[in-house]
């Protein structure tokens, strides 16, 4: 093992899939993907654990394979959290710091943050993040970084992200049961944003939408900071289930129809019949209009809920950099065209790029969360004491350092 390298791990525990990305950080803070894996999830309902054994078993199995393939033994990770209990709250706090000559120090910032949070977030919620949006000194606002500045009264306006405590506790328990310590829980859409957004997008105003299997979450950034997070308890699996019910078919067939035949440009002229199976043997035909009606209705509902959330947060007409779609649901062909119409904004599919090497295999919208978690852990210096095992030949691990990319500047 290269002793100059430290390691971080991102672990995305979804309802349908679990994914891990192991990243090495060298002494110059270059990040490189050295291992990754994905597998089926279990025991999760609408983004949160419904039992402990299911997700624990799924994480253990998926990481076990990643460890054997990559030769790394993961003990700690940044872990994604999801579910409609996640929300952001705008809060304010004010403290007196002394005389006007007083220079603002780190303790003052901690204290004003405590005041802004305590009592504002219900006791049954865990605070996942406190994002300072703006400070004011002696009534003068618009200050981003007051450290070292002088003043007697310090005020803070912040965005506090929280989730129901039992959901957080159960997720930590499930990962612990798989022998992984959750160093930090990060909403999946917030983690994904770390992997797919540029500084410019974050500065000008952009939203990331993570369409998973059972949840669709949105995070808004402006002036470089997270401004809003919300989760809709429906996702791409709802489309599959609707098709299975309306067409009275097996969910596996419904999933195949969704993945192979549905595109987001519903108005475009296509053949009126969807044929699936082997001709003259088990071929089945479906009326495309009927199929599309079902899919479109569900997409309209999900994106309609997202639109309502953006509107409530006053960001519906205020996203100059548009919308970036991630998650497995973003793999539906031309879904960006549907989202563009529905949300009346420019829409792109987001992939975690710039990692090089084995990273090309994970430059997919569904890996954005796991990659973003690893990047966050690297930035926050939460290294995991990874032991190298003897790697299986080849696959899913980086063999050389050519792909090292200086990522700290990008993120
Ligand atoms: N090619 C495709 N076309 C359409 N949908 C797809 C495609 N590939 C995957 N999906 C859908 O993506 C979803 C899985 O996405 P993802 O892995 O991001 O979910 P998850 O993280 O497990 O769920 P959640 O975030 O809701 O807990 C499934 O509903 C699946 O049908
Ligand atoms: Mg997910």
């Amino acid at each position: 093992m290269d002793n100059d390298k430290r390691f971080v791990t991102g672990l995305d525990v979804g309802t349908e899939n679990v994914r891990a990305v192991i990243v090495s950080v060298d002494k110059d803070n270059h990040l490189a993907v050295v291992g990754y894996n994905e597998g089926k999830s279990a025991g999760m309902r609408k983004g949160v654990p419904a039992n402990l054994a299911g997700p624990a078993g799924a994480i253990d199995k998926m990481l076990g394979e990643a460890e054997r393939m990559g030769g790394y033994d993961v003990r700690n990770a940044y872990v994604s959290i999801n579910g409609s209990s996640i929300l952001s709250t705008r809060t304010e706090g004010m403290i007196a710091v002394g005389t006007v000559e007083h220079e603002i120090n780190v303790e003052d910032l901690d204290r004003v943050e405590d005041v802004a949070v305590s009592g504002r977030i219900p006791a049954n919620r865990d605070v996942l993040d406190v994002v300072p949006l703006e400070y004011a000194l002696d009534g003068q606002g618009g200050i981003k970084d007051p450290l070292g500045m002088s003043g007697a009264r310090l005020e803070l306006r912040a965005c506090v992200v929280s989730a129901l405590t039992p959901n957080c506790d159960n997720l930590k328990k499930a990962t612990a049961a798989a022998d992984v310590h959750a160093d930090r829980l990060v909403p999946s859409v917030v983690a994904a944003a770390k992997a797919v957004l540029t500084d410019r997008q974050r500065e000008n105003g952009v939203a990331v939408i993570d369409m998973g299997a059972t949840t669709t979450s949105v995070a808004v950034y402006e002036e470089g900071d997270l401004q809003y997070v919300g989760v809709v308890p429906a996702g791409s699996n709802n489309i599959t289930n609707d098709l299975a019910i309306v067409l009275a078919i097996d969910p596996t067939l419904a999933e195949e129809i969704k993945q192979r035949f549905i595109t987001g440009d519903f108005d475009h002229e296509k053949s009126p019949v969807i044929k699936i199976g082997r001709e003259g043997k088990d071929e089945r035909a479906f009326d495309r209009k009927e199929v599309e009606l079902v899919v479109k209705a569900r997409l309209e509902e999900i994106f309609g809920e997202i639109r309502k959330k953006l509107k409530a947060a006053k960001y519906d007409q205020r996203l100059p950099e548009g919308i970036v779609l991630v998650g497995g649901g973003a793999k539906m062909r031309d879904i960006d065209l549907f989202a563009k119409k529905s949300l009346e904004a420019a829409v792109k599919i987001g992939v975690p790029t710039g990692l090089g090497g084995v990273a090309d295999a994970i430059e997919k919208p569904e890996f954005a969360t796991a990659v973003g978690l690893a990047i966050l852990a690297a930035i926050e210096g939460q290294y995991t004491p990874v032991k190298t095992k003897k790697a299986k030949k080849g696959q899913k691990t980086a063999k050389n350092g050519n792909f090292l990319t200086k990522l700290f500047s990008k993120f």
Side-chain angles (χ1 to χ4, degrees):
M1 174 159 108
D2 185 341
N3 286 326
D4 286 342
K5 284 195 186 131
R6 292 148 298 173
F7 296 88
V8 287
T9 301
L11 178 60
D12 177 12
V13 186
T15 313
E16 187 74 29
N17 299 293
V18 285
R19 297 186 176 92
V21 172
I22 307 171
V23 167
S24 72
V25 186
D26 75 6
K27 58 180 177 6
D28 298 320
N29 285 338
H30 290 112
L31 305 189
V33 177
V34 294
Y36 69 92
N37 198 22
E38 66 185 319
K40 279 276 158 225
S41 189
M44 298 282 290
R45 196 164 297 147
K46 296 214 174 287
V48 299
N51 62 55
L52 299 184
I59 296 166
D60 195 45
K61 184 166 180 280
M62 184 270 300
L63 271 179
E65 286 167 19
E67 286 169 350
R68 276 192 298 281
M69 288 167 186
Y72 297 93
D73 188 11
V74 174
R75 291 279 161 259
N76 303 44
Y78 269 35
V79 178
S80 71
I81 180 163
N82 209 334
S84 56
S85 88
I86 294 171
L87 53 83
S88 59
T89 314
R90 290 298 180 95
T91 66
E92 283 168 15
M94 197 261 282
I95 57 166
V97 285
T99 61
V100 274
E101 290 91 52
H102 176 86
E103 285 187 2
I104 303 299
N105 55 40
V106 175
E107 286 77 51
D108 297 328
L109 299 188
D110 287 347
R111 204 151 62 85
V112 76
E113 199 174 291
D114 278 351
V115 171
V117 174
S118 61
R120 318 284 164 108
I121 306 298
N124 62 345
R125 294 190 148 264
D126 272 18
V127 171
L128 301 171
D129 202 1
V130 181
V131 183
L133 298 177
E134 181 193 4
Y135 292 92
L137 264 173
D138 295 336
Q140 191 214 319
I143 301 171
K144 275 279 178 196
D145 182 9
L147 266 186
M149 292 174 82
S150 305
R153 194 178 83 226
L154 178 66
E155 289 164 78
L156 167 67
R157 214 165 48 76
C159 171
V160 181
V161 183
S162 65
L164 280 177
T165 302
N167 293 353
C168 301
D169 288 349
N170 290 333
L171 188 59
K172 285 184 203 156
K173 279 186 190 165
T175 54
D179 265 344
V180 179
H181 180 260
D183 291 328
R184 196 176 148 192
L185 303 181
V186 183
S188 69
V189 65
V190 174
K194 204 74 204 160
V196 300
L197 294 185
T198 63
D199 283 347
R200 201 190 76 173
Q201 288 173 315
R202 256 191 290 266
E203 195 58 41
N204 291 346
V206 68
V208 177
I209 295 176
D210 174 8
M211 188 174 196
T214 61
T215 62
T216 302
S217 36
V218 58
V220 177
Y221 291 79
E222 193 179 47
E223 291 177 9
D225 293 316
L226 175 69
Q227 304 282 344
Y228 173 82
V229 188
V231 181
V232 174
S236 189
N237 271 10
N238 294 78
I239 301 172
T240 311
N241 294 342
D242 291 348
L243 283 174
I245 292 166
V246 175
L247 306 175
I249 54 172
D250 189 80
T252 319
L253 183 58
E255 180 73 22
E256 191 180 344
I257 292 175
K258 180 179 82 173
Q259 294 205 12
R260 281 183 54 199
F261 297 98
I262 300 300
T263 65
D265 57 339
F266 293 102
D267 306 327
H268 204 263
E269 206 52 42
K270 293 177 212 114
S271 82
V273 181
I274 289 174
K275 285 186 184 161
I276 200 159
R278 290 161 300 175
E279 206 181 330
K281 291 195 170 151
D282 55 358
E283 190 177 69
R284 296 189 62 177
F286 300 92
D287 176 37
R288 183 183 290 272
K289 272 223 170 72
E290 189 185 3
V291 171
E292 286 193 347
L293 214 62
V294 174
V295 177
K296 202 171 169 193
R298 182 59 85 167
L299 281 175
E300 262 162 9
E301 188 206 73
I302 294 172
F303 282 95
E305 289 300 315
I306 292 287
R307 195 169 55 227
K308 269 192 222 156
K309 287 194 179 290
L310 288 174
K311 193 162 184 201
K314 302 196 171 56
Y315 278 100
D316 52 327
Q317 299 290 332
R318 249 180 60 200
L319 297 169
E321 298 281 347
I323 284 158
V324 180
L325 277 181
V326 296
K331 289 171 77 177
M332 175 177 284
R333 252 182 297 154
D334 292 335
I335 193 163
D336 49 328
L337 300 181
F338 179 86
K340 185 177 171 202
K341 259 194 200 153
S342 174
L343 301 170
E344 295 172 38
V347 178
K348 281 186 221 164
I349 306 298
V351 288
T353 53
L355 293 166
V358 283
D360 58 347
I362 56 167
E363 284 180 0
K364 300 171 180 167
E366 68 269 34
F367 262 101
T369 294
V371 172
L373 287 165
I375 292 169
L376 269 171
I379 290 172
E380 292 173 6
Q382 287 278 359
Y383 304 111
T384 114
V386 171
K387 280 185 288 175
T388 36
K389 290 179 173 176
K390 205 167 160 46
K392 256 193 183 174
K393 262 208 180 130
Q395 33 174 347
K396 301 199 180 183
T397 179
K399 288 189 250 26
N400 60 53
N402 297 342
F403 51 82
L404 292 181
T405 318
K406 185 132 189 169
L407 282 166
F408 276 71
S409 55
K410 183 177 169 204
F411 300 104

